[in-house]
Amino acid sequence: MDGLELLKKNWKKQEATLPKVSYDEIYKMIWKRSSSIVKWIFIISIFEFVIGVLLNVGLADKEYWNSLEQLDLKEVTIWIYGINYLITLFFVFRFYMNYRRINATSSAKKLMRDIIRTRKTVKSYILYVLISLAIVTLAYVYIIIYHHIQDTQVTDNTPYVFDALDWLKFTGITVIAIGIFLAVIWFFYQLLYGILLRRLKKNYTQLENLDCD
C-alpha cells in the first residue's frame, strides 16, 4: 500500500489513534504526483524530438540525398521532415501547456479535467505518429516502384507482367510488413508513454473516489 492509499484509509476511518488527514492533504499528494507525471511526458517529448532531428541530420549525408534524388524523393522527403517537425513541435507545446495547467490547478475537478486533457493529447500524438508513418511508408513504396518501372529498360517484359493475384499477394505482403512495423512502433510508445498514462488514469480514479467521499 502506497502513501496515498494509507492517507485515504486513515482519512476514511478517522480513528482516534491515527492522525487526522484532511481532504486537502490527500488532494495535494495526488496533484503533486500528477504534475510530476505530466512534466515527464513533456521532457520525454523534447528528448524524442531532439533525437529524431539528430538521427535525420546524421543520416542526411551527401550519398543519402543523392539516392533520394535518383528516386525523385528528395523534395518529398524535405517537405515530410519540415511538416513532421512542425506538428511534433505543436504537440510538444501542447504537453508544455498541459504541464502549466496542472501546476496552476486549484481544485480536484479541474485536476481531473486536466488529466483527461493530457491523456487525450498523448493519445492523439501517438495516433498521429502511427498514421503518418503508414501514409509515408505507403507513398514511398509506391514512388519507388513507379520510378523503377519507368526507368527499367527491358526487351522482354513478360517477367514484369503481373496479374490480379500477383498484385494482391504483393499488396498483402506490403500491408503485413507495414502492420508489423507499426506494431513495433506502437509497442515502443506504450513503453515510452503508456506507463505514465496508466499512472495518470490511476490518479484520476483516486480523485473520483476522493470527490465522492
Side-chain angles (χ1 to χ4, degrees):
M1 181 181 297
D2 60 20
L4 177 59
E5 292 297 328
L6 182 59
L7 284 176
K8 288 182 66 178
K9 182 179 179 181
N10 294 342
W11 181 57
K12 290 178 180 179
K13 288 184 176 181
Q14 293 287 297
E15 294 177 355
T17 57
L18 295 174
K20 304 292 184 181
V21 181
S22 69
Y23 175 99
D24 289 338
E25 288 176 307
I26 298 175
Y27 161 74
K28 188 175 182 181
M29 179 174 287
I30 299 175
W31 169 72
K32 284 184 177 181
R33 193 162 64 185
S34 300
S35 177
S36 176
I37 291 171
V38 178
K39 180 178 71 174
W40 273 109
I41 290 174
F42 171 59
I43 292 173
I44 290 173
S45 68
I46 293 176
F47 274 109
E48 184 185 351
F49 175 77
V50 172
I51 291 173
V53 172
L54 291 177
L55 287 176
N56 289 334
V57 170
L59 292 174
D61 55 9
K62 187 175 181 180
E63 183 178 350
Y64 171 75
W65 289 112
N66 286 339
S67 62
L68 289 178
E69 192 168 10
Q70 292 174 3
L71 295 170
D72 297 326
L73 286 172
K74 183 177 180 179
E75 291 186 5
V76 174
T77 301
I78 292 174
W79 275 100
I80 289 173
Y81 281 173
I83 294 172
N84 181 63
Y85 290 156
L86 288 175
I87 295 177
T88 303
L89 283 174
F90 166 75
F91 277 106
V92 171
F93 175 74
R94 289 279 304 275
F95 295 149
Y96 171 70
M97 293 304 298
N98 288 337
Y99 172 61
R100 284 194 60 182
R101 287 191 190 98
I102 284 186
N103 261 355
T105 295
S106 57
S107 68
K109 290 188 180 298
K110 188 174 185 302
L111 179 57
M112 290 169 69
R113 290 197 298 269
D114 290 336
I115 288 175
I116 292 175
R117 183 186 291 110
T118 299
R119 283 172 54 82
K120 285 183 177 179
T121 304
V122 175
K123 290 180 179 180
S124 297
Y125 172 65
I126 295 174
L127 186 63
Y128 157 72
V129 172
L130 294 176
I131 292 176
S132 62
L133 280 175
I135 293 174
V136 169
T137 303
L138 286 171
Y140 271 44
V141 170
Y142 171 79
I143 293 173
I144 291 172
I145 292 175
Y146 178 81
H147 186 275
H148 177 73
I149 293 174
Q150 293 296 315
D151 287 359
T152 301
Q153 301 294 329
V154 294
T155 56
D156 181 14
N157 63 355
T158 302
Y160 298 90
V161 176
F162 301 97
D163 57 23
L165 182 60
D166 292 328
W167 280 111
L168 185 61
K169 290 179 180 178
F170 173 77
T171 302
I173 293 173
T174 302
V175 170
I176 291 173
I178 293 175
I180 293 174
F181 171 68
L182 293 179
V184 172
I185 299 297
W186 176 84
F187 179 74
F188 169 75
Y189 276 101
Q190 288 302 303
L191 292 178
L192 198 61
Y193 293 105
I195 296 174
L196 297 176
L197 290 183
R198 285 191 291 272
R199 290 178 179 174
L200 275 180
K201 185 177 181 180
K202 180 180 178 182
N203 288 358
Y204 181 89
T205 301
Q206 290 173 336
L207 284 168
E208 276 188 319
N209 296 333
L210 181 64
D211 192 53
C212 293
D213 293 331

